[in-house]
Amino acid sequence: MTRRLIRRFTEDDGPSAERRRLRSEARSRLEALTEKEREVLIALSGGLSNTGIAEALHATEATAKTHISRILSKLSLTNRVQAAILAHHAGLVD
């Protein structure tokens, strides 16, 4: 069992290869976003509310909501959690 576990973590097709693949795919998808939308995505991924995002970006809450809606639409996502996961896969947040 130990040998299989070590092999899995050291082979090219192991978790690190999967992480690289996910990162590449996620970054490719995020190319559709504007710079401001990326900023909003990072803030959203940090757990900020619409109000928090608006404050962090010196915008109105309506503007933050608009950016979030556009992000979800451009990335074909249905909710903020999916957006945060994609940002994480892309390496935008830890």
Side-chain angles (χ1 to χ4, degrees):
M1 181 68 163
T2 303
R3 283 187 213 143
R4 282 188 281 164
L5 184 61
I6 291 170
R7 194 175 323 118
R8 180 168 182 207
F9 282 97
T10 58
E11 291 177 348
D12 286 343
D13 62 346
S16 61
E18 178 67 11
R19 280 193 298 270
R20 285 192 303 269
R21 184 188 64 75
L22 284 172
R23 179 163 287 187
S24 176
E25 288 176 5
R27 285 182 175 175
S28 178
R29 289 180 69 186
L30 295 184
E31 289 177 6
L33 302 180
T34 66
E35 187 60 35
K36 183 58 77 176
E37 289 166 344
R38 283 176 178 263
E39 290 177 35
V40 171
L41 179 59
I42 291 167
L44 177 152
S45 298
L48 294 180
S49 65
N50 291 347
T51 303
I53 293 169
E55 289 173 2
L57 300 176
H58 308 291
T60 66
E61 190 171 346
T63 299
K65 288 179 181 181
T66 298
H67 283 302
I68 293 167
S69 293
R70 288 183 181 157
I71 290 166
L72 296 177
S73 177
K74 284 182 178 183
L75 299 176
S76 299
L77 302 172
T78 58
N79 60 59
R80 299 164 71 102
V81 174
Q82 290 176 329
I85 291 169
L86 185 63
H88 176 74
H89 286 314
L92 291 181
V93 293
D94 292 327

